[in-house]
Amino acid sequence: MVVAGVGALTAATIWGQVTAQGAHGLLVLDVAVGLAACALLPVLLRWPVPGALALAVLAAVSPAATPAATMATLHVAQRRAFLVAAAVGGAGVVTHAIRGLWRPIESLPFAWFLVLVIVAEAALVGWGQLSQARRALLGSLRERARRAEAEQAGRVAEARAFERARIAREMHDVLAHRLSLLATYAGALEYRPDAPPERLAEAAGVVRAGVHQALEELREVITVLRDDEPADGTHPQPGLTDLGRLATESRDAGTPVDVVTRISRPEELPGAVGRTAYRLVQEGLTNARKHAPGQPVRVLLDGRPGSQVLMELTNPVGPASQLAGSGTGLIGLTERVRLAGGELDHSVSADGEFRLRARLPWPA
């Protein structure tokens, strides 16, 4: 299409030269230059600058090369840097000036001819550079949009991973404690089949009630997972006020628990800190039942507004139990405490005592 258009303009230029100036003696030269110019057009696609310079040289010989040389200048300006495009445009001005000297236009003074050539070449270079800048801007916007979509997809994937981790942590915190209690009672049923029927019935009733409560707690976790505070208040999240019930459950399962609370103004404790403290104690008691069954556990809570809440849980390290731990509970607790802006560490002392200690900020 471009070659056909340039060919038509070339033919019109040659016809204009013949009719306007009667240059029949140069007709063969103009036709040859016009054909050569059209033949050089495909060269522009691979070698834009050399092709444009070759067409500029032909324009110094005959006006038949002017349409192709003009298109070549625009093509270079659209694809090369400004200095390269300006150099090609300058070459076009020089070659057209040379042609204007030996083949002047009778009705147009040379000075005005030169001014028109300079304005035309400058306009071509400016138009090409503007088109190039527009393409670059559109490409940059498309790349930015693509990058934004990729970043959005990454944020969605990260949010999903965080939500899955949160669900896993909540379910572990709720179910691990409850199921460890059930395992304790089930173990009693297994190892004491000779117990009185009423004791067996009582233990079986505790197991049944524990399973029912585990299902209820699981349902509550799924209901409130996406909100820190339930909207209807029917299933409030556990806090420091629930530590007594937690300790009673552990004592009933055979783990002596001593809870010492030195919290100043507990009514001012933020709900998130209270929930974190509850989960820490819950996980600590679960681990104690797994790895130190029957060993006494001491829980200490201390803190005041404007400072921090200290939680420390200690128990002697007992013989290895049959309930193997995966360590995910402590990993989840560490992440929970870190998200709350606190610190958690655990260690076993030289005298065989396991210590779980956490510090959480308590804003004034």
Side-chain angles (χ1 to χ4, degrees):
M1 183 67 68
V2 173
V3 175
V6 173
L9 290 175
T10 301
T13 302
I14 295 173
W15 179 256
Q17 285 290 110
V18 172
T19 56
Q21 300 183 17
H24 297 285
L26 298 175
L27 178 59
V28 176
L29 175 63
D30 290 340
V31 171
V33 170
L35 293 175
C38 291
L40 282 174
L41 288 177
V43 177
L44 290 172
L45 299 177
R46 186 167 183 180
W47 299 290
V49 176
L53 293 177
L55 288 170
V57 171
L58 291 178
V61 178
S62 170
T66 297
T70 301
M71 197 277 291
T73 301
L74 178 62
H75 181 77
V76 171
Q78 290 176 337
R79 287 161 176 79
R80 293 294 185 267
F82 173 75
L83 293 179
V84 176
V88 171
V93 171
V94 171
T95 56
H96 280 82
I98 293 173
R99 194 194 72 223
L101 289 175
W102 78 279
R103 295 184 65 173
I105 302 176
E106 296 178 357
S107 61
L108 182 66
F110 176 76
W112 282 108
F113 171 76
L114 189 60
V115 169
L116 291 176
V117 169
I118 293 174
V119 171
E121 293 290 341
L124 290 171
V125 172
W127 184 11
Q129 290 292 295
L130 182 62
S131 299
Q132 183 180 159
R134 182 175 180 273
R135 283 200 311 271
L137 176 60
L138 292 177
S140 174
L141 293 177
R142 282 193 294 267
E143 176 62 22
R144 189 176 301 175
R146 186 197 63 78
R147 192 181 304 115
E149 291 178 359
E151 291 176 356
Q152 176 65 17
R155 285 192 292 268
V156 170
E158 183 179 353
R160 288 174 177 171
F162 177 80
E163 188 68 13
R164 286 195 295 268
R166 186 182 179 201
I167 292 173
R169 185 168 60 246
E170 288 291 337
M171 288 187 174
H172 178 277
D173 291 342
V174 170
L175 295 181
H177 171 73
R178 185 63 54 193
L179 295 179
S180 66
L181 290 174
L182 295 179
T184 301
Y185 284 106
L189 290 174
E190 179 182 2
Y191 291 106
R192 292 298 304 275
D194 56 341
E198 59 273 11
R199 295 297 300 274
L200 293 177
E202 179 183 355
V206 171
V207 171
R208 182 186 58 80
V211 170
H212 177 74
Q213 190 169 0
L215 292 175
E216 287 296 322
E217 290 177 346
L218 179 60
R219 187 177 298 110
E220 292 174 9
V221 168
I222 296 175
T223 301
V224 303
L225 247 179
R226 296 188 179 275
D227 299 306
D228 287 339
E229 295 291 347
D232 57 1
T234 57
H235 297 288
Q237 292 287 282
L240 286 182
T241 56
D242 299 289
L243 288 182
R245 176 178 56 82
L246 194 63
T248 301
E249 290 177 349
S250 295
R251 293 189 189 104
D252 293 342
T255 300
V257 180
D258 180 22
V259 180
V260 178
T261 303
R262 301 172 185 169
I263 299 293
S264 175
R265 289 181 285 177
E267 68 279 0
E268 299 181 12
L269 187 68
V273 178
R275 288 193 294 273
T276 303
Y278 177 89
R279 295 303 187 195
L280 282 165
V281 175
Q282 184 183 58
E283 179 64 21
L285 294 177
T286 301
N287 287 339
R289 280 193 300 273
K290 286 182 178 179
H291 306 292
Q295 299 294 328
V297 181
R298 183 174 185 269
V299 180
L300 171 64
L301 294 99
D302 192 2
R304 62 183 182 277
S307 179
Q308 61 182 5
V309 177
L310 170 66
M311 290 164 286
E312 185 175 89
L313 188 144
T314 57
N315 62 270
V317 177
S321 70
Q322 295 179 353
L323 297 176
S326 62
T328 56
L330 290 177
I331 295 174
L333 284 183
T334 302
E335 181 67 13
R336 180 188 291 273
V337 172
R338 186 186 66 81
L339 291 176
E343 299 177 352
L344 181 139
D345 61 84
H346 54 87
S347 60
V348 178
S349 63
D351 55 354
E353 185 178 63
F354 177 79
R355 177 177 286 106
L356 180 67
R357 181 185 291 109
R359 295 177 179 84
L360 290 173
W362 186 349

